[in-house]
Amino acid sequence: AQKITQTQPGMFVQEKEAVTLDCTYDTSDPSYGLFWYKQPSSGEMIFLIYQGSYDQQNATEGRYSLNFQKARKSANLVISASQLGDSAMYFCAMREGEGNNDMRFGAGTRLTVKP
Amino acid sequence: GAGVSQSPRYKVAKRGQDVALRCDPISGHVSLFWYQQALGQGPEFLTYFQNEAQLDKSGLPSDRFFAERPEGSVSTLKIQRTQQEDSAVYLCASSLEPYGYTFGSGTRLTVV
């Protein structure tokens, strides 16, 4: 069963505008971590932001914030003030349980920032 | 080293050929993961090591795939008798603690 769902294959946003990339997840484990990664055309996976299941507040990292709605099992990424360099694939991922377990990824969303 | 290093960066293999992909993790990182990323898709988990112990290999698609990390540092992913459906980018990641995964740039395997 798919554990991470990203329903937007592609998104467009105007430069300097904000954009939300959707992610829903499925787990029965009370302890889990949620991640967002950026993958530009060069292929490397760049870590953006992390949210733990027990964190009380939404994670923020610069222009990135994570809209964590635990009851709805959603972890949407918000990018504020989009820049042309934000154009890339964005992947949501989840790691279940305690300890250093593997991550499972969604199918990704391709974001294109228009000038 | 400063990051996770993977080699080769690109590999073209004839169908039926064996290949070996190398991952050199960040020094001291206990955990090492291999992922397979097909074109246009998200990375799919293959296998996971903690030091030299392979704790999870549930994602390996067939018995043609084999991974090892004999001394708990460098890891090799071997694919025997490659087939066209093995064409993908193979990503390696390492981690010291549950929070921070660092990925390598990947090896793009093309089977012709």
Side-chain angles (χ1 to χ4, degrees), chain A residues 19-25 32 34-36 49-52 55-61 63-79 92:
Chain A
V19 63
T20 298
L21 306 183
D22 294 342
C23 174
T24 57
Y25 60 92
Y32 53 91
L34 297 160
F35 301 77
W36 277 92
I49 197 166
Y50 167 81
Q51 179 85 44
D55 293 345
Q56 295 296 315
Q57 297 195 334
N58 288 344
T60 61
E61 288 286 347
R63 294 187 298 111
Y64 304 108
S65 60
L66 200 151
N67 184 1
F68 182 44
Q69 298 190 34
K70 195 169 182 176
R72 296 178 57 186
K73 293 188 176 178
S74 76
N76 298 341
L77 176 71
V78 180
I79 305 174
C92 181

Side-chain angles (χ1 to χ4, degrees), chain B:
Chain B
V4 177
S5 178
Q6 291 189 247
S7 61
R9 187 77 173 91
Y10 302 93
K11 176 69 178 178
V12 178
K14 291 185 177 179
R15 191 167 47 188
Q17 185 180 351
D18 297 348
V19 298
L21 312 180
R22 177 187 169 106
C23 174
D24 202 338
I26 293 173
S27 178
H29 276 198
V30 169
S31 298
L32 185 146
F33 307 85
W34 283 99
Y35 287 85
Q36 179 191 59
Q37 187 176 20
L39 188 64
Q41 297 183 23
E44 294 283 342
F45 169 75
L46 293 177
T47 186
Y48 157 50
F49 290 86
Q50 189 165 323
N51 294 307
E52 68 278 5
Q54 190 174 19
L55 298 188
D56 187 347
K57 55 181 181 180
S58 61
L60 296 176
S62 76
D63 59 7
R64 296 186 296 105
F65 286 70
F66 172 76
E68 60 183 6
R69 194 187 185 196
E71 297 178 359
S73 55
V74 172
S75 177
T76 304
L77 176 67
K78 297 179 179 178
I79 309 173
Q80 297 177 322
R81 303 181 305 281
T82 52
Q83 300 177 6
Q84 282 193 315
E85 61 261 32
D86 300 335
S87 296
V89 174
Y90 290 85
L91 293 166
C92 176
S94 72
S95 175
L96 182 60
E97 73 285 326
Y99 179 85
Y101 293 65
T102 302
F103 281 84
S105 297
T107 294
R108 181 177 296 278
L109 173 66
T110 304
V111 182
V112 298

